[in-house]
Amino acid sequence: MIALSDIISIGSFVRTHGKAGELQCRTTNDFWDESEAEFILVVLDSIPVPFRVLDWRCKGADLLFTLKGIATEQQALRLVGSEVYMRREDVKEQHEQGFLSWQDLVGYTINGCAITAIDDSTANVLAQLQDGRLVPLHEDLISSIDHDAHVITIQLPQGL
């Protein structure tokens, strides 16, 4: 069985495309484009279910997937709205800088306070700390990340 910690989100299925079961995926990163993975995973009933990718292509910023076992628009409709994942081991090494997404920083500490959640739903990524504070996470503000100690050092502008 594939553990949730072994997969990483690449986007979500937003709609079907055509009548042959093709699905349009709104991506949140370029991990899939740069990989040679043969499978995507969709979490159904809390279980990551692998689907073999028969074909895929770009449509603007989105990806269109043709999946084995999904041959009709009705079959594809069942997956619309689902989050799309890939195995972490399939992500190219150029992304492996200790973490692959902001979500991987949950559990790290900032100024001795643990990160309990990450809000990356907008361009302004925020870390929610254990004490309730929200801290902006931006590459320009992060001085260092110690992955061994799970500590993030941030230089916040005056007043924050």
Side-chain angles (χ1 to χ4, degrees), residues 35-100:
S35 77
E36 295 176 13
E38 297 179 21
F39 293 90
I40 60 166
L41 297 110
V42 178
V43 176
L44 303 172
D45 297 326
S46 302
I47 300 170
V49 178
F51 288 89
R52 180 178 292 279
V53 176
L54 299 176
D55 191 28
W56 69 277
R57 60 191 166 97
C58 293
K59 180 185 178 193
D62 295 343
L63 299 174
L64 296 176
F65 284 103
T66 302
L67 306 175
K68 185 173 184 170
I70 306 294
T72 68
E73 184 178 18
Q74 290 302 320
Q75 291 172 326
L77 275 171
R78 292 189 308 214
L79 299 178
V80 170
S82 299
E83 193 77 10
V84 180
Y85 297 87
M86 67 184 289
R87 295 181 314 167
R88 285 181 185 274
E89 65 188 49
D90 290 335
V91 177
K92 289 285 187 185
E93 287 184 19
Q94 65 190 20
H95 288 291
E96 300 216 5
Q97 304 164 351
F99 71 97
L100 298 173

Side-chain angles (χ1 to χ4, degrees), residues 16 23 25 33 41 45 63 81 103-104 115 142 154:
T16 61
L23 285 151
C25 178
D33 297 358
L41 297 110
D45 297 326
L63 299 174
Q103 297 298 328
D104 290 340
I115 298 174
I142 297 174
I154 291 186

